[in-house]
Amino acid sequence: VNETMERAMRNEPVVLSRTGVLGDVSSRYAADRDPGLEQEWDFKRLAEMAGEDEWECYVCPSREHKFMVCDDDKNSHGSYYHVREPQVEKMQCKFKDFVQCAQTWREKSILFDAELLDGSASAKGSESFAPSANRFDGRCPEGLVTSIQQGIKWKWLDSFIRSQRCDGVQSMRLVAGHRDGLQPARYVLDDSIQLQVNGRRRVLLIPPAYSFKGMYPYPVAHPYDGYSMVDFDDVNYCQTPAFNAVRGVSYILEPGDLLFIPRGWWRHEQGLTKEHVELDIGLLSVKRARDCHASALLASRRIEERLAKIEGIHHIKHWLKIIAEAEDAHWIDLSTVKGHKRIVMAQMVRDEIDLTLGRGSWQQFLRTMLDGRLDPTPWLNISFREPLYLSDKPVQVPDTRTDIEREFPEFFVAKLKSEGYDVDYTPVSVFNPHHPETIAQARPT
């Protein structure tokens, strides 16, 4: 136990199995059994508990199976990083409707991802980290709230959270999906605990040291902010060559397992069973030293946000290149007010990096931060076709019918079917006994 806690304190992920935090009925003695969420939650029971209120779900094509959620606030028309046609759609539905879609849909995949806690309620001022009833979202029925409060062994979980010097539970998300549902690599700047309630999932964790050395995070102003540019299913090494050096650690979570993920670590998650449910608990105010590589992510975000306000999103990379190569004097006119502001901006960028990562580290960090990033992302719009463009002409297929196929269309339909076209036989033809030109004999009635 001490070794595990020390690893977590060093900002390393850990998995704890058979802790009983979600219940334990393994004992052969009834008095020692302690049921919890592991025994109480599956799709059917959750559908009964969740009530009639609607929650947010994500839908994507089954052939893609990637739930890469687009930030609508950053995806305005005409913006520098505009994604014309996001693959993931957002929809509001009841949990029982989600279950029905997850079990019956074949062409589309669906993921349930709902925040259960009310962000405006305070998390401090309590001896226990167990969320009180008034902290839950108003859509949560009383039965669901009671199940969470009693189905998790909060006394044990409190001791683990306090050992990591956290102030409490900041958020709690209920995530449910089906087999092969994939949440692509993304990072979170807060510590979190994942409780696997039902089913099995594979979680690939990548250290924050690879954030700018192979993971290529999207820019802060991008609609896919927080995700990696690398498609793990089909890596483009010409576009992201440094990904070849990335290494991580993989876990397969079983029901009842607890996974602690330190802030800044990349997580790539995939469902392995036809239904899986997990609780993702975000922790509040971590009072321990931050990993220097996680600090680099935070510093890069601050720099991009400030330069976007001063120079605009289009010019972030241009000015970071100038600052990285110390070419300020060649580009800035010190006799103007705007030039003075840019000198202050350049010094602010250097100071931000030196204070966060160490004195003299600004140049090397800026070069790695710029590598392969902060450019438009045209590959996200490569399959988009604007229906109003006059250049979109219909595709002309040559007529390859023989004389027999022209005279008897059924032969041509059979040929098209063998080539993979979705066509049906015409109901009126020369093979129809009731057609005036039929060559078949009408059956006696």
PDB file of all heavy atoms in Angstrom, residues 303-335:
ATOM      1  N   ILE A 303       0.363  30.665 -22.904  1.00  0.00           N
ATOM      2  CA  ILE A 303       1.035  31.469 -23.933  1.00  0.00           C
ATOM      3  C   ILE A 303       0.147  31.616 -25.169  1.00  0.00           C
ATOM      4  O   ILE A 303      -0.015  32.712 -25.727  1.00  0.00           O
ATOM      5  CB  ILE A 303       2.391  30.841 -24.293  1.00  0.00           C
ATOM      6  CG1 ILE A 303       3.358  30.972 -23.111  1.00  0.00           C
ATOM      7  CG2 ILE A 303       2.976  31.471 -25.540  1.00  0.00           C
ATOM      8  CD1 ILE A 303       4.633  30.187 -23.278  1.00  0.00           C
ATOM      9  N   GLU A 304      -0.442  30.515 -25.621  1.00  0.00           N
ATOM     10  CA  GLU A 304      -1.307  30.572 -26.798  1.00  0.00           C
ATOM     11  C   GLU A 304      -2.518  31.468 -26.556  1.00  0.00           C
ATOM     12  O   GLU A 304      -2.927  32.237 -27.435  1.00  0.00           O
ATOM     13  CB  GLU A 304      -1.765  29.162 -27.174  1.00  0.00           C
ATOM     14  CG  GLU A 304      -0.667  28.289 -27.763  1.00  0.00           C
ATOM     15  CD  GLU A 304      -1.173  26.910 -28.146  1.00  0.00           C
ATOM     16  OE1 GLU A 304      -2.310  26.836 -28.669  1.00  0.00           O
ATOM     17  OE2 GLU A 304      -0.459  25.923 -27.911  1.00  0.00           O
ATOM     18  N   GLU A 305      -3.112  31.382 -25.364  1.00  0.00           N
ATOM     19  CA  GLU A 305      -4.279  32.204 -25.059  1.00  0.00           C
ATOM     20  C   GLU A 305      -3.924  33.692 -25.052  1.00  0.00           C
ATOM     21  O   GLU A 305      -4.671  34.523 -25.587  1.00  0.00           O
ATOM     22  CB  GLU A 305      -4.861  31.794 -23.702  1.00  0.00           C
ATOM     23  CG  GLU A 305      -5.543  30.429 -23.719  1.00  0.00           C
ATOM     24  CD  GLU A 305      -5.888  29.938 -22.327  1.00  0.00           C
ATOM     25  OE1 GLU A 305      -5.483  30.606 -21.344  1.00  0.00           O
ATOM     26  OE2 GLU A 305      -6.574  28.898 -22.219  1.00  0.00           O
ATOM     27  N   ARG A 306      -2.780  34.035 -24.475  1.00  0.00           N
ATOM     28  CA  ARG A 306      -2.394  35.447 -24.402  1.00  0.00           C
ATOM     29  C   ARG A 306      -2.036  35.998 -25.778  1.00  0.00           C
ATOM     30  O   ARG A 306      -2.414  37.123 -26.129  1.00  0.00           O
ATOM     31  CB  ARG A 306      -1.218  35.607 -23.435  1.00  0.00           C
ATOM     32  CG  ARG A 306      -1.590  35.325 -21.989  1.00  0.00           C
ATOM     33  CD  ARG A 306      -0.388  35.436 -21.064  1.00  0.00           C
ATOM     34  NE  ARG A 306      -0.730  35.086 -19.700  1.00  0.00           N
ATOM     35  CZ  ARG A 306       0.146  35.042 -18.705  1.00  0.00           C
ATOM     36  NH1 ARG A 306       1.422  35.324 -18.928  1.00  0.00           N
ATOM     37  NH2 ARG A 306      -0.236  34.716 -17.480  1.00  0.00           N
ATOM     38  N   LEU A 307      -1.306  35.224 -26.573  1.00  0.00           N
ATOM     39  CA  LEU A 307      -0.948  35.703 -27.910  1.00  0.00           C
ATOM     40  C   LEU A 307      -2.167  35.808 -28.809  1.00  0.00           C
ATOM     41  O   LEU A 307      -2.228  36.678 -29.693  1.00  0.00           O
ATOM     42  CB  LEU A 307       0.094  34.783 -28.541  1.00  0.00           C
ATOM     43  CG  LEU A 307       1.554  35.271 -28.414  1.00  0.00           C
ATOM     44  CD1 LEU A 307       1.983  35.289 -26.952  1.00  0.00           C
ATOM     45  CD2 LEU A 307       2.486  34.419 -29.248  1.00  0.00           C
ATOM     46  N   ALA A 308      -3.150  34.934 -28.603  1.00  0.00           N
ATOM     47  CA  ALA A 308      -4.378  35.023 -29.399  1.00  0.00           C
ATOM     48  C   ALA A 308      -5.115  36.335 -29.121  1.00  0.00           C
ATOM     49  O   ALA A 308      -5.680  36.952 -30.036  1.00  0.00           O
ATOM     50  CB  ALA A 308      -5.281  33.833 -29.088  1.00  0.00           C
ATOM     51  N   LYS A 309      -5.105  36.787 -27.867  1.00  0.00           N
ATOM     52  CA  LYS A 309      -5.763  38.047 -27.525  1.00  0.00           C
ATOM     53  C   LYS A 309      -5.001  39.250 -28.069  1.00  0.00           C
ATOM     54  O   LYS A 309      -5.599  40.240 -28.496  1.00  0.00           O
ATOM     55  CB  LYS A 309      -5.889  38.161 -26.001  1.00  0.00           C
ATOM     56  CG  LYS A 309      -6.864  37.178 -25.380  1.00  0.00           C
ATOM     57  CD  LYS A 309      -6.936  37.372 -23.867  1.00  0.00           C
ATOM     58  CE  LYS A 309      -7.909  36.375 -23.229  1.00  0.00           C
ATOM     59  NZ  LYS A 309      -7.968  36.536 -21.745  1.00  0.00           N
ATOM     60  N   ILE A 310      -3.667  39.164 -28.082  1.00  0.00           N
ATOM     61  CA  ILE A 310      -2.854  40.313 -28.497  1.00  0.00           C
ATOM     62  C   ILE A 310      -2.719  40.389 -30.016  1.00  0.00           C
ATOM     63  O   ILE A 310      -2.920  41.453 -30.617  1.00  0.00           O
ATOM     64  CB  ILE A 310      -1.461  40.240 -27.838  1.00  0.00           C
ATOM     65  CG1 ILE A 310      -1.590  40.289 -26.306  1.00  0.00           C
ATOM     66  CG2 ILE A 310      -0.576  41.370 -28.333  1.00  0.00           C
ATOM     67  CD1 ILE A 310      -0.293  40.030 -25.573  1.00  0.00           C
ATOM     68  N   GLU A 311      -2.383  39.263 -30.671  1.00  0.00           N
ATOM     69  CA  GLU A 311      -2.072  39.273 -32.097  1.00  0.00           C
ATOM     70  C   GLU A 311      -3.109  38.567 -32.964  1.00  0.00           C
ATOM     71  O   GLU A 311      -3.079  38.701 -34.190  1.00  0.00           O
ATOM     72  CB  GLU A 311      -0.694  38.638 -32.343  1.00  0.00           C
ATOM     73  CG  GLU A 311       0.461  39.366 -31.692  1.00  0.00           C
ATOM     74  CD  GLU A 311       0.707  40.727 -32.323  1.00  0.00           C
ATOM     75  OE1 GLU A 311       0.265  40.941 -33.476  1.00  0.00           O
ATOM     76  OE2 GLU A 311       1.341  41.573 -31.667  1.00  0.00           O
ATOM     77  N   GLY A 312      -3.997  37.784 -32.345  1.00  0.00           N
ATOM     78  CA  GLY A 312      -4.962  37.020 -33.122  1.00  0.00           C
ATOM     79  C   GLY A 312      -4.488  35.595 -33.356  1.00  0.00           C
ATOM     80  O   GLY A 312      -3.289  35.307 -33.374  1.00  0.00           O
ATOM     81  N   ILE A 313      -5.437  34.700 -33.569  1.00  0.00           N
ATOM     82  CA  ILE A 313      -5.128  33.271 -33.726  1.00  0.00           C
ATOM     83  C   ILE A 313      -4.225  33.018 -34.937  1.00  0.00           C
ATOM     84  O   ILE A 313      -3.326  32.182 -34.894  1.00  0.00           O
ATOM     85  CB  ILE A 313      -6.439  32.466 -33.849  1.00  0.00           C
ATOM     86  CG1 ILE A 313      -7.262  32.592 -32.561  1.00  0.00           C
ATOM     87  CG2 ILE A 313      -6.153  31.003 -34.154  1.00  0.00           C
ATOM     88  CD1 ILE A 313      -8.646  31.996 -32.661  1.00  0.00           C
ATOM     89  N   HIS A 314      -4.437  33.773 -36.028  1.00  0.00           N
ATOM     90  CA  HIS A 314      -3.682  33.530 -37.256  1.00  0.00           C
ATOM     91  C   HIS A 314      -2.182  33.754 -37.082  1.00  0.00           C
ATOM     92  O   HIS A 314      -1.369  33.169 -37.808  1.00  0.00           O
ATOM     93  CB  HIS A 314      -4.173  34.446 -38.380  1.00  0.00           C
ATOM     94  CG  HIS A 314      -5.622  34.281 -38.703  1.00  0.00           C
ATOM     95  ND1 HIS A 314      -6.635  34.622 -37.822  1.00  0.00           N
ATOM     96  CD2 HIS A 314      -6.227  33.813 -39.813  1.00  0.00           C
ATOM     97  CE1 HIS A 314      -7.800  34.369 -38.381  1.00  0.00           C
ATOM     98  NE2 HIS A 314      -7.589  33.883 -39.592  1.00  0.00           N
ATOM     99  N   HIS A 315      -1.798  34.613 -36.145  1.00  0.00           N
ATOM    100  CA  HIS A 315      -0.404  35.048 -36.056  1.00  0.00           C
ATOM    101  C   HIS A 315       0.344  34.459 -34.851  1.00  0.00           C
ATOM    102  O   HIS A 315       1.469  34.888 -34.571  1.00  0.00           O
ATOM    103  CB  HIS A 315      -0.342  36.573 -35.986  1.00  0.00           C
ATOM    104  CG  HIS A 315      -1.022  37.252 -37.136  1.00  0.00           C
ATOM    105  ND1 HIS A 315      -0.553  37.161 -38.423  1.00  0.00           N
ATOM    106  CD2 HIS A 315      -2.152  38.014 -37.188  1.00  0.00           C
ATOM    107  CE1 HIS A 315      -1.360  37.846 -39.231  1.00  0.00           C
ATOM    108  NE2 HIS A 315      -2.331  38.381 -38.506  1.00  0.00           N
ATOM    109  N   ILE A 316      -0.249  33.512 -34.151  1.00  0.00           N
ATOM    110  CA  ILE A 316       0.419  32.934 -32.972  1.00  0.00           C
ATOM    111  C   ILE A 316       1.732  32.276 -33.368  1.00  0.00           C
ATOM    112  O   ILE A 316       2.789  32.533 -32.776  1.00  0.00           O
ATOM    113  CB  ILE A 316      -0.503  31.925 -32.257  1.00  0.00           C
ATOM    114  CG1 ILE A 316      -1.713  32.647 -31.653  1.00  0.00           C
ATOM    115  CG2 ILE A 316       0.264  31.185 -31.174  1.00  0.00           C
ATOM    116  CD1 ILE A 316      -2.707  31.709 -30.995  1.00  0.00           C
ATOM    117  N   LYS A 317       1.695  31.429 -34.382  1.00  0.00           N
ATOM    118  CA  LYS A 317       2.909  30.695 -34.776  1.00  0.00           C
ATOM    119  C   LYS A 317       3.974  31.660 -35.295  1.00  0.00           C
ATOM    120  O   LYS A 317       5.167  31.485 -35.003  1.00  0.00           O
ATOM    121  CB  LYS A 317       2.570  29.658 -35.840  1.00  0.00           C
ATOM    122  CG  LYS A 317       3.765  28.785 -36.210  1.00  0.00           C
ATOM    123  CD  LYS A 317       3.354  27.617 -37.087  1.00  0.00           C
ATOM    124  CE  LYS A 317       4.551  26.703 -37.336  1.00  0.00           C
ATOM    125  NZ  LYS A 317       4.185  25.514 -38.145  1.00  0.00           N
ATOM    126  N   HIS A 318       3.569  32.672 -36.039  1.00  0.00           N
ATOM    127  CA  HIS A 318       4.519  33.637 -36.594  1.00  0.00           C
ATOM    128  C   HIS A 318       5.321  34.318 -35.488  1.00  0.00           C
ATOM    129  O   HIS A 318       6.559  34.373 -35.537  1.00  0.00           O
ATOM    130  CB  HIS A 318       3.753  34.676 -37.415  1.00  0.00           C
ATOM    131  CG  HIS A 318       4.581  35.856 -37.823  1.00  0.00           C
ATOM    132  ND1 HIS A 318       5.571  35.770 -38.774  1.00  0.00           N
ATOM    133  CD2 HIS A 318       4.573  37.146 -37.397  1.00  0.00           C
ATOM    134  CE1 HIS A 318       6.137  36.950 -38.934  1.00  0.00           C
ATOM    135  NE2 HIS A 318       5.554  37.815 -38.105  1.00  0.00           N
ATOM    136  N   TRP A 319       4.632  34.791 -34.449  1.00  0.00           N
ATOM    137  CA  TRP A 319       5.329  35.519 -33.390  1.00  0.00           C
ATOM    138  C   TRP A 319       6.099  34.592 -32.455  1.00  0.00           C
ATOM    139  O   TRP A 319       7.152  34.965 -31.928  1.00  0.00           O
ATOM    140  CB  TRP A 319       4.345  36.384 -32.609  1.00  0.00           C
ATOM    141  CG  TRP A 319       4.000  37.627 -33.376  1.00  0.00           C
ATOM    142  CD1 TRP A 319       2.854  37.894 -34.063  1.00  0.00           C
ATOM    143  CD2 TRP A 319       4.854  38.759 -33.572  1.00  0.00           C
ATOM    144  NE1 TRP A 319       2.935  39.113 -34.681  1.00  0.00           N
ATOM    145  CE2 TRP A 319       4.153  39.667 -34.391  1.00  0.00           C
ATOM    146  CE3 TRP A 319       6.140  39.080 -33.152  1.00  0.00           C
ATOM    147  CZ2 TRP A 319       4.687  40.886 -34.788  1.00  0.00           C
ATOM    148  CZ3 TRP A 319       6.686  40.291 -33.537  1.00  0.00           C
ATOM    149  CH2 TRP A 319       5.966  41.183 -34.342  1.00  0.00           C
ATOM    150  N   LEU A 320       5.608  33.373 -32.264  1.00  0.00           N
ATOM    151  CA  LEU A 320       6.378  32.434 -31.444  1.00  0.00           C
ATOM    152  C   LEU A 320       7.688  32.049 -32.140  1.00  0.00           C
ATOM    153  O   LEU A 320       8.709  31.840 -31.479  1.00  0.00           O
ATOM    154  CB  LEU A 320       5.547  31.188 -31.149  1.00  0.00           C
ATOM    155  CG  LEU A 320       4.426  31.354 -30.119  1.00  0.00           C
ATOM    156  CD1 LEU A 320       3.712  30.038 -29.896  1.00  0.00           C
ATOM    157  CD2 LEU A 320       4.973  31.882 -28.801  1.00  0.00           C
ATOM    158  N   LYS A 321       7.663  31.956 -33.475  1.00  0.00           N
ATOM    159  CA  LYS A 321       8.912  31.697 -34.215  1.00  0.00           C
ATOM    160  C   LYS A 321       9.901  32.840 -34.022  1.00  0.00           C
ATOM    161  O   LYS A 321      11.108  32.613 -33.821  1.00  0.00           O
ATOM    162  CB  LYS A 321       8.602  31.521 -35.702  1.00  0.00           C
ATOM    163  CG  LYS A 321       8.148  30.133 -36.101  1.00  0.00           C
ATOM    164  CD  LYS A 321       8.004  30.061 -37.610  1.00  0.00           C
ATOM    165  CE  LYS A 321       7.663  28.651 -38.059  1.00  0.00           C
ATOM    166  NZ  LYS A 321       7.521  28.571 -39.543  1.00  0.00           N
ATOM    167  N   ILE A 322       9.406  34.068 -34.099  1.00  0.00           N
ATOM    168  CA  ILE A 322      10.279  35.234 -33.920  1.00  0.00           C
ATOM    169  C   ILE A 322      10.888  35.240 -32.523  1.00  0.00           C
ATOM    170  O   ILE A 322      12.094  35.475 -32.343  1.00  0.00           O
ATOM    171  CB  ILE A 322       9.471  36.528 -34.173  1.00  0.00           C
ATOM    172  CG1 ILE A 322       9.064  36.613 -35.644  1.00  0.00           C
ATOM    173  CG2 ILE A 322      10.278  37.755 -33.752  1.00  0.00           C
ATOM    174  CD1 ILE A 322       8.139  37.764 -35.955  1.00  0.00           C
ATOM    175  N   ILE A 323      10.062  34.957 -31.506  1.00  0.00           N
ATOM    176  CA  ILE A 323      10.559  34.954 -30.135  1.00  0.00           C
ATOM    177  C   ILE A 323      11.543  33.808 -29.924  1.00  0.00           C
ATOM    178  O   ILE A 323      12.579  33.962 -29.265  1.00  0.00           O
ATOM    179  CB  ILE A 323       9.377  34.856 -29.149  1.00  0.00           C
ATOM    180  CG1 ILE A 323       8.459  36.073 -29.300  1.00  0.00           C
ATOM    181  CG2 ILE A 323       9.874  34.746 -27.711  1.00  0.00           C
ATOM    182  CD1 ILE A 323       7.149  35.949 -28.547  1.00  0.00           C
ATOM    183  N   ALA A 324      11.248  32.634 -30.501  1.00  0.00           N
ATOM    184  CA  ALA A 324      12.110  31.466 -30.318  1.00  0.00           C
ATOM    185  C   ALA A 324      13.496  31.691 -30.909  1.00  0.00           C
ATOM    186  O   ALA A 324      14.499  31.219 -30.359  1.00  0.00           O
ATOM    187  CB  ALA A 324      11.466  30.234 -30.947  1.00  0.00           C
ATOM    188  N   GLU A 325      13.573  32.408 -32.026  1.00  0.00           N
ATOM    189  CA  GLU A 325      14.856  32.652 -32.677  1.00  0.00           C
ATOM    190  C   GLU A 325      15.470  33.991 -32.274  1.00  0.00           C
ATOM    191  O   GLU A 325      16.474  34.420 -32.856  1.00  0.00           O
ATOM    192  CB  GLU A 325      14.693  32.592 -34.192  1.00  0.00           C
ATOM    193  CG  GLU A 325      14.146  31.264 -34.707  1.00  0.00           C
ATOM    194  CD  GLU A 325      14.975  30.074 -34.261  1.00  0.00           C
ATOM    195  OE1 GLU A 325      16.215  30.220 -34.139  1.00  0.00           O
ATOM    196  OE2 GLU A 325      14.379  29.001 -34.017  1.00  0.00           O
ATOM    197  N   ALA A 326      14.842  34.664 -31.271  1.00  0.00           N
ATOM    198  CA  ALA A 326      15.351  35.946 -30.746  1.00  0.00           C
ATOM    199  C   ALA A 326      15.534  36.975 -31.846  1.00  0.00           C
ATOM    200  O   ALA A 326      16.554  37.683 -31.914  1.00  0.00           O
ATOM    201  CB  ALA A 326      16.657  35.718 -29.992  1.00  0.00           C
ATOM    202  N   GLU A 327      14.556  37.086 -32.735  1.00  0.00           N
ATOM    203  CA  GLU A 327      14.608  38.040 -33.834  1.00  0.00           C
ATOM    204  C   GLU A 327      13.674  39.222 -33.600  1.00  0.00           C
ATOM    205  O   GLU A 327      13.177  39.841 -34.556  1.00  0.00           O
ATOM    206  CB  GLU A 327      14.256  37.335 -35.146  1.00  0.00           C
ATOM    207  CG  GLU A 327      15.251  36.252 -35.543  1.00  0.00           C
ATOM    208  CD  GLU A 327      14.860  35.555 -36.839  1.00  0.00           C
ATOM    209  OE1 GLU A 327      13.716  35.774 -37.302  1.00  0.00           O
ATOM    210  OE2 GLU A 327      15.693  34.805 -37.374  1.00  0.00           O
ATOM    211  N   ASP A 328      13.406  39.549 -32.344  1.00  0.00           N
ATOM    212  CA  ASP A 328      12.475  40.625 -32.017  1.00  0.00           C
ATOM    213  C   ASP A 328      12.892  41.942 -32.664  1.00  0.00           C
ATOM    214  O   ASP A 328      12.063  42.674 -33.209  1.00  0.00           O
ATOM    215  CB  ASP A 328      12.392  40.823 -30.497  1.00  0.00           C
ATOM    216  CG  ASP A 328      12.269  39.511 -29.740  1.00  0.00           C
ATOM    217  OD1 ASP A 328      12.535  38.457 -30.327  1.00  0.00           O
ATOM    218  OD2 ASP A 328      11.886  39.558 -28.555  1.00  0.00           O
ATOM    219  N   ALA A 329      14.169  42.271 -32.582  1.00  0.00           N
ATOM    220  CA  ALA A 329      14.643  43.572 -33.056  1.00  0.00           C
ATOM    221  C   ALA A 329      14.422  43.756 -34.551  1.00  0.00           C
ATOM    222  O   ALA A 329      14.268  44.897 -35.024  1.00  0.00           O
ATOM    223  CB  ALA A 329      16.126  43.735 -32.721  1.00  0.00           C
ATOM    224  N   HIS A 330      14.400  42.673 -35.336  1.00  0.00           N
ATOM    225  CA  HIS A 330      14.226  42.780 -36.782  1.00  0.00           C
ATOM    226  C   HIS A 330      12.760  42.965 -37.184  1.00  0.00           C
ATOM    227  O   HIS A 330      12.483  43.391 -38.300  1.00  0.00           O
ATOM    228  CB  HIS A 330      14.785  41.534 -37.473  1.00  0.00           C
ATOM    229  CG  HIS A 330      16.240  41.297 -37.202  1.00  0.00           C
ATOM    230  ND1 HIS A 330      17.237  42.109 -37.683  1.00  0.00           N
ATOM    231  CD2 HIS A 330      16.873  40.341 -36.465  1.00  0.00           C
ATOM    232  CE1 HIS A 330      18.424  41.673 -37.276  1.00  0.00           C
ATOM    233  NE2 HIS A 330      18.219  40.597 -36.530  1.00  0.00           N
ATOM    234  N   TRP A 331      11.846  42.641 -36.275  1.00  0.00           N
ATOM    235  CA  TRP A 331      10.422  42.656 -36.620  1.00  0.00           C
ATOM    236  C   TRP A 331       9.632  43.737 -35.882  1.00  0.00           C
ATOM    237  O   TRP A 331       8.486  44.008 -36.255  1.00  0.00           O
ATOM    238  CB  TRP A 331       9.796  41.290 -36.310  1.00  0.00           C
ATOM    239  CG  TRP A 331      10.190  40.215 -37.280  1.00  0.00           C
ATOM    240  CD1 TRP A 331      11.296  39.431 -37.251  1.00  0.00           C
ATOM    241  CD2 TRP A 331       9.471  39.826 -38.448  1.00  0.00           C
ATOM    242  NE1 TRP A 331      11.317  38.568 -38.308  1.00  0.00           N
ATOM    243  CE2 TRP A 331      10.197  38.779 -39.071  1.00  0.00           C
ATOM    244  CE3 TRP A 331       8.270  40.232 -39.045  1.00  0.00           C
ATOM    245  CZ2 TRP A 331       9.775  38.157 -40.231  1.00  0.00           C
ATOM    246  CZ3 TRP A 331       7.848  39.613 -40.208  1.00  0.00           C
ATOM    247  CH2 TRP A 331       8.602  38.584 -40.800  1.00  0.00           C
ATOM    248  N   ILE A 332      10.191  44.309 -34.847  1.00  0.00           N
ATOM    249  CA  ILE A 332       9.427  45.226 -33.998  1.00  0.00           C
ATOM    250  C   ILE A 332       9.999  46.634 -34.105  1.00  0.00           C
ATOM    251  O   ILE A 332      11.221  46.836 -33.994  1.00  0.00           O
ATOM    252  CB  ILE A 332       9.458  44.746 -32.534  1.00  0.00           C
ATOM    253  CG1 ILE A 332       8.786  43.361 -32.415  1.00  0.00           C
ATOM    254  CG2 ILE A 332       8.766  45.746 -31.618  1.00  0.00           C
ATOM    255  CD1 ILE A 332       8.855  42.771 -31.034  1.00  0.00           C
ATOM    256  N   ASP A 333       9.106  47.583 -34.321  1.00  0.00           N
ATOM    257  CA  ASP A 333       9.479  48.998 -34.376  1.00  0.00           C
ATOM    258  C   ASP A 333       9.323  49.598 -32.982  1.00  0.00           C
ATOM    259  O   ASP A 333       8.198  49.805 -32.504  1.00  0.00           O
ATOM    260  CB  ASP A 333       8.590  49.722 -35.383  1.00  0.00           C
ATOM    261  CG  ASP A 333       8.998  51.191 -35.564  1.00  0.00           C
ATOM    262  OD1 ASP A 333       9.966  51.616 -34.903  1.00  0.00           O
ATOM    263  OD2 ASP A 333       8.340  51.890 -36.353  1.00  0.00           O
ATOM    264  N   LEU A 334      10.416  49.859 -32.303  1.00  0.00           N
ATOM    265  CA  LEU A 334      10.373  50.331 -30.915  1.00  0.00           C
ATOM    266  C   LEU A 334       9.877  51.771 -30.795  1.00  0.00           C
ATOM    267  O   LEU A 334       9.598  52.231 -29.692  1.00  0.00           O
ATOM    268  CB  LEU A 334      11.775  50.230 -30.299  1.00  0.00           C
ATOM    269  CG  LEU A 334      12.334  48.813 -30.154  1.00  0.00           C
ATOM    270  CD1 LEU A 334      13.748  48.865 -29.584  1.00  0.00           C
ATOM    271  CD2 LEU A 334      11.431  47.969 -29.275  1.00  0.00           C
ATOM    272  N   SER A 335       9.757  52.487 -31.900  1.00  0.00           N
ATOM    273  CA  SER A 335       9.311  53.878 -31.833  1.00  0.00           C
ATOM    274  C   SER A 335       7.792  54.017 -31.769  1.00  0.00           C
ATOM    275  O   SER A 335       7.279  55.127 -31.667  1.00  0.00           O
ATOM    276  CB  SER A 335       9.827  54.646 -33.050  1.00  0.00           C
ATOM    277  OG  SER A 335       9.273  54.102 -34.250  1.00  0.00           O
TER     278      SER A 335
END
